[in-house]
Amino acid sequence: MATHGQIGNPTNLSDQKAPSVLNFEELSHGQVNNYLPGRQGKFFIYGTEFSDTSSVNIQTGFEQATIIEVEFIVMKPATDGANLQVQFYEAGTLEDAGVYDNARYKQDSSNNVSFTNDSANADIPLGEVGNGTGEAYCGTLTICHANNSATQTNYYARGVGMNADPELECYEVGGELPQASVVDGIKVFFSSGNIASGKIKMYGYA
């Protein structure tokens, strides 16, 4: 067994259990990495953890895959009842105009259901979140052909969170950025107040 960087069996990474052995995510540093095994399926691009910030901007790694998946982990607002929102960067410029088309489905723990279908939004709304104990948002946003300048960018989000009532709510959001452009970044923020705390990880699909 190889531990603490010892030679052991260098081809058997699964046998290297010691904490000093780097995993693939740590080795890649969020960049294209040709010395790792050939990419098959989902691969790590970028991760960040933050607190008390107005927004999180990720503008790296979008060129690495046609399909990008963003994971939101325990996203908590400073302001009770704020909505978690996303905007895209197009060729380095933030798109904050009313251009996002989407449909949104929501069901809460009291069995209330709502469906909203609209266009020309200035952001992509992911869900309302409370800031009390145990209230936060967790979910994923999938972005399709972001690195293709010849077509529009589609997106689909699923998440669950506790709102300010408090009610447990499940959200599904689907839509598009209708103009043909390269999406090379995202801005994540709440509709009011700061992000109190949270973590984001970004993956690509080979």
Side-chain angles (χ1 to χ4, degrees):
M1 178 172 66
T3 60
H4 298 283
Q6 297 172 3
I7 298 300
N9 180 358
T11 62
N12 186 2
L13 292 178
S14 64
D15 193 37
Q16 300 185 26
K17 303 296 186 182
S20 61
V21 176
L22 297 176
N23 62 34
F24 284 168
E25 291 186 5
E26 292 169 324
L27 287 169
S28 68
H29 300 293
Q31 304 299 320
V32 174
N33 190 330
N34 292 326
Y35 57 79
L36 293 181
R39 287 171 165 166
Q40 298 292 327
K42 184 176 179 180
F43 60 90
F44 179 79
I45 296 176
Y46 179 82
T48 182
E49 189 169 1
F50 38 84
S51 61
D52 193 25
T53 184
S54 60
S55 64
V56 177
N57 296 274
I58 301 173
Q59 294 178 265
T60 184
F62 282 78
E63 77 286 350
Q64 296 186 34
T66 300
I67 299 176
I68 298 290
E69 184 177 274
V70 184
E71 292 185 356
F72 302 99
I73 304 167
V74 195
M75 299 288 291
K76 196 175 186 68
T79 302
D80 201 27
N83 283 284
L84 184 62
Q85 301 176 156
V86 171
Q87 293 170 333
F88 292 155
Y89 282 88
E90 296 178 278
T93 300
L94 182 65
E95 181 56 273
D96 56 3
V99 295
Y100 299 94
D101 300 335
N102 56 61
R104 307 187 298 277
Y105 173 86
K106 178 179 73 174
Q107 182 172 1
D108 65 28
S109 52
S110 295
N111 214 29
N112 298 308
V113 175
S114 66
F115 179 81
T116 305
N117 183 11
D118 55 17
S119 61
N121 288 326
D123 54 68
I124 302 168
L126 300 184
E128 179 194 344
V129 193
N131 69 348
T133 302
E135 297 176 356
Y137 176 94
C138 293
T140 59
L141 170 66
T142 303
I143 306 170
C144 300
H145 35 77
N147 62 357
N148 186 346
S149 62
T151 186
Q152 77 279 4
T153 299
N154 297 334
Y155 54 85
Y156 174 65
R158 300 180 70 181
V160 62
M162 189 77 76
N163 70 8
D165 289 343
E167 290 275 3
L168 182 65
E169 294 188 322
C170 296
Y171 305 96
E172 292 192 49
V173 181
E176 67 173 358
L177 179 62
Q179 59 256 34
S181 62
V182 170
V183 170
D184 57 1
I186 59 170
K187 176 182 179 180
V188 183
F189 59 105
F190 280 104
S191 57
S192 61
N194 280 358
I195 302 173
S197 59
K199 183 185 294 185
I200 294 175
K201 289 192 174 185
M202 191 170 83
Y203 298 84
Y205 281 86

